[in-house]
Amino acid sequence: MNLLEHLQWFIINLFETTSAHGLRHLVRMGVHIVERMVWITFIFVGIFGSVALAQRIWDRYQTSPVVISMDRNMYFWNTSFPSLTVCTHHRIDQDKVDRYIGEHPEKFANEGDSDDFKEFIVKLANASYDTFMELPVHKTYGIPSEDYLELIQNLSWPFQPMSSSGTTLLLQLQPTITELGSCVSVNSKVAAYSSYEYWRNNRWDLVPPPEPVVVHPLDGEVYGQLIKLESSYEVFFHGFMEVPEISKRRYSFLEAFYTTVELLALEIITSPNARELSISQRKCRFTHEADILQFSPVYSYNLCRIECRMKLAVRFCGCVPHFYRNAGKKSLKYRICDLSGYQCLGQNAEELIALRGIKGNTECNCVPNCDDSNYFIQAYRSREWFLGANLQWGLTDYPKMQLNRDMIFGLSDVFVYIGGLGGFFLGCSLITFTEFLYFFAWRLFKQQPRPT
């Protein structure tokens, strides 16, 4: 028997013995050609319906397998104590500046250079997107822009407030570099990756995070306190897995005032089964998933937006401000702006803060944190205080709701739905697919044709 006859016999044998519905009518003897065409039509309609709906099921699994639900059992969970970053307005130590001027007389040979430099270094230390236009453009004092951050750190005023909390855990204070300059973060797990020492030592390793402070409704009113701030200051309130960012709300408080801030909290937690999904499926990232970032070993939504702002600054002005880490992964390095570069950044400050380019919003591809805490100021009050600027903050009303990101449509559901479609349209099951594999993998080549 030739190859064509062998293949014909194989197809007849397969269609007669398979458990898939309708195929046996195509090869049965005595069936009219019109009947065969009708059966072929129904079989192709069944195949098309199965494939089309299976594609929709797979797309659902890839795009929306998770749901965010509300949990109202407030006594079943702990709440993260609000973290904050405080940026003092007093950043330069004038005694250090005087010593620097005395050690470098060649840079201040002209009359008035010393006074101009004192004004310049104070403005540079407090520079942000709101104040870049205030920087002078006529004098650099022989200081390259790459040394601006080091110079500010060497001349900085020692900002060392004291902290306390109403719990047994300590509120950890960590120096950090923000888009407002040198600041101090409290109760943060990621502030260390934005510190000057971490950048200077060219580190990319993960730092053991401090134990975050958590509270429970049974703890009652819990407050944290910063004392000895010694100047006016600005504060960002954020979660312990976040950093401050220039477009976020910040609050300014005056010197010689005792300020109390009462906050409301809303947290979102990702369940263990949702952690197994890909980033595109759950539409969020965990801290260790920092592969898209070039200047940070950890991920957060604000860190992603900061990198996006750096790229936009390079596109507009060809440089980035000194308060960014300009040396990244894979030998990537951005130029630090000189004074003319800061003027360019100041002229484009609105677009840079909003991350809006010439043709609309910039595509940053930043997704939220999978585990995130959000805080909202409920009330605050200030009164004059003879011991300097103090800040007290905490939760008075504990959250009665927590958001949970959970998987509701997993891979097992995909198999169940697709299996149901195969059974509905074609009468197929797992055994049917096994039969096809068996026939094509074994009987097509090994089974001898029946004798005629």
Side-chain angles (χ1 to χ4, degrees):
M1 183 177 293
N2 58 33
L3 179 61
L4 183 60
E5 293 175 339
H6 177 76
L7 183 60
Q8 180 183 3
W9 172 86
F10 169 78
I11 294 174
I12 293 173
N13 188 30
L14 172 62
F15 283 14
E16 286 180 344
T17 57
T18 183
S19 58
H21 295 179
L23 294 179
R24 62 174 57 90
H25 300 295
L26 301 180
V27 296
R28 193 173 60 185
M29 300 297 294
V31 178
H32 194 272
I33 185 63
V34 176
E35 295 181 68
R36 297 185 196 275
M37 295 303 297
V38 170
W39 281 110
I40 289 176
T41 301
F42 280 118
I43 290 172
F44 272 100
V45 169
I47 293 174
F48 175 79
S50 300
V51 172
L53 292 179
Q55 181 64 44
R56 293 181 61 181
I57 291 170
W58 183 255
D59 290 342
R60 178 187 174 187
Y61 172 67
Q62 292 296 329
T63 58
S64 56
V66 300
V67 66
I68 296 178
S69 60
M70 293 184 295
D71 185 0
R72 293 187 177 274
N73 295 322
M74 60 179 296
Y75 292 99
F76 283 24
W77 69 72
N78 292 322
T79 301
S80 301
F81 190 75
S83 302
L84 61 84
T85 298
V86 55
C87 303
T88 179
H89 292 158
H90 182 194
R91 294 179 179 170
I92 296 299
D93 190 326
Q94 292 301 323
D95 292 336
K96 293 181 179 179
V97 174
D98 291 336
R99 285 197 297 269
Y100 178 83
I101 293 173
E103 293 170 357
H104 301 84
E106 71 282 358
K107 296 181 179 181
F108 311 100
N110 297 328
E111 183 180 357
D113 280 351
S114 298
D115 293 334
D116 291 341
F117 175 73
K118 292 178 181 180
E119 180 183 0
F120 164 74
I121 196 63
V122 170
K123 288 184 176 180
L124 184 64
N126 289 276
S128 69
Y129 288 95
D130 301 323
T131 61
F132 284 150
M133 295 296 293
E134 300 176 9
L135 290 173
V137 295
H138 58 277
K139 190 73 171 179
T140 62
Y141 306 96
I143 304 170
S145 58
E146 289 77 11
D147 294 340
Y148 282 168
L149 182 59
E150 181 181 3
L151 178 63
I152 292 172
Q153 293 296 315
N154 291 337
L155 303 181
S156 64
W157 174 69
F159 179 50
Q160 297 175 337
M162 298 177 62
S163 67
S164 63
S165 71
T167 68
T168 57
L169 294 176
L170 295 177
L171 291 171
Q172 299 286 339
L173 274 66
Q174 297 174 302
T176 186
I177 307 296
T178 73
E179 291 178 314
L180 292 181
S182 299
C183 305
V184 171
S185 286
V186 183
N187 193 36
S188 173
K189 296 181 69 173
V190 295
Y193 302 103
S194 298
S195 67
Y196 173 72
E197 292 297 326
Y198 190 87
W199 294 353
R200 186 182 67 174
N201 294 324
N202 196 28
R203 295 177 57 183
W204 294 96
D205 58 308
L206 297 181
V207 178
E211 186 69 23
V213 176
V214 295
V215 292
H216 189 270
L218 297 180
D219 294 332
E221 294 186 0
V222 178
Y223 284 95
Q225 187 167 342
L226 288 178
I227 61 177
K228 297 181 64 177
L229 294 174
E230 300 184 6
S231 74
S232 57
Y233 56 94
E234 293 182 281
V235 175
F236 293 88
F237 293 98
H238 52 81
F240 67 92
M241 301 300 293
E242 265 300 356
V243 299
E245 193 243 327
I246 191 65
S247 66
K248 304 302 179 183
R249 180 74 180 271
R250 62 184 187 267
Y251 301 87
S252 298
F253 300 110
L254 299 176
E255 185 180 0
F257 277 83
Y258 191 107
T259 303
T260 300
V261 181
E262 298 175 356
L263 300 163
L264 297 176
L266 178 62
E267 292 189 300
I268 181 168
I269 305 297
T270 301
S271 64
N273 57 2
R275 295 171 182 262
E276 302 172 1
L277 299 172
S278 66
I279 297 170
S280 61
Q281 289 176 302
R282 51 179 144 87
K283 295 180 175 60
C284 66
R285 283 180 178 267
F286 290 100
T287 306
H288 64 276
E289 296 174 328
D291 52 288
I292 67 169
L293 300 185
Q294 297 298 316
F295 296 91
S296 174
V298 295
Y299 178 86
S300 80
Y301 177 72
N302 286 351
L303 284 172
C304 181
R305 285 177 58 84
I306 287 173
E307 283 207 8
C308 188
R309 187 170 292 112
M310 293 173 66
K311 296 176 183 177
L312 192 61
V314 171
R315 191 200 311 174
F316 284 164
C317 304
C319 60
V320 297
H322 63 275
F323 46 68
Y324 288 141
R325 183 176 190 173
N326 67 320
K329 305 173 185 175
K330 301 178 181 178
S331 301
L332 177 64
K333 190 169 184 178
Y334 289 155
R335 184 175 67 88
I336 298 297
C337 290
D338 54 16
L339 296 182
S340 60
Y342 283 117
Q343 292 295 309
C344 175
L345 293 177
Q347 294 169 359
N348 296 278
E350 184 177 349
E351 289 79 6
L352 289 167
I353 293 175
L355 291 178
R356 185 176 63 249
I358 299 176
K359 297 182 179 180
N361 293 339
T362 304
E363 291 294 333
C364 296
N365 297 320
C366 297
V367 296
N369 300 333
C370 288
D371 296 329
D372 198 12
S373 302
N374 297 279
Y375 301 97
F376 311 93
I377 289 186
Q378 183 181 27
Y380 73 91
R381 54 190 179 273
S382 295
R383 63 182 185 273
E384 291 191 25
W385 188 247
F386 65 95
L387 293 178
N390 286 7
L391 174 65
Q392 185 183 59
W393 78 102
L395 300 173
T396 54
D397 293 332
Y398 284 86
K400 299 176 177 60
M401 178 182 67
Q402 186 182 71
L403 301 180
N404 292 323
R405 182 183 284 107
D406 202 359
M407 181 173 65
I408 60 169
F409 194 77
L411 196 58
S412 60
D413 300 297
V414 173
F415 287 129
V416 170
Y417 275 70
I418 293 179
L421 291 175
F424 177 75
F425 283 101
L426 300 171
C428 296
S429 65
L430 181 61
I431 300 300
T432 306
F433 294 112
T434 305
E435 288 175 350
F436 274 87
L437 290 175
Y438 165 70
F439 269 87
F440 281 96
W442 182 258
R443 296 193 65 176
L444 177 62
F445 303 103
K446 297 299 182 181
Q447 179 70 22
Q448 296 297 322
R450 291 176 296 183
T452 57

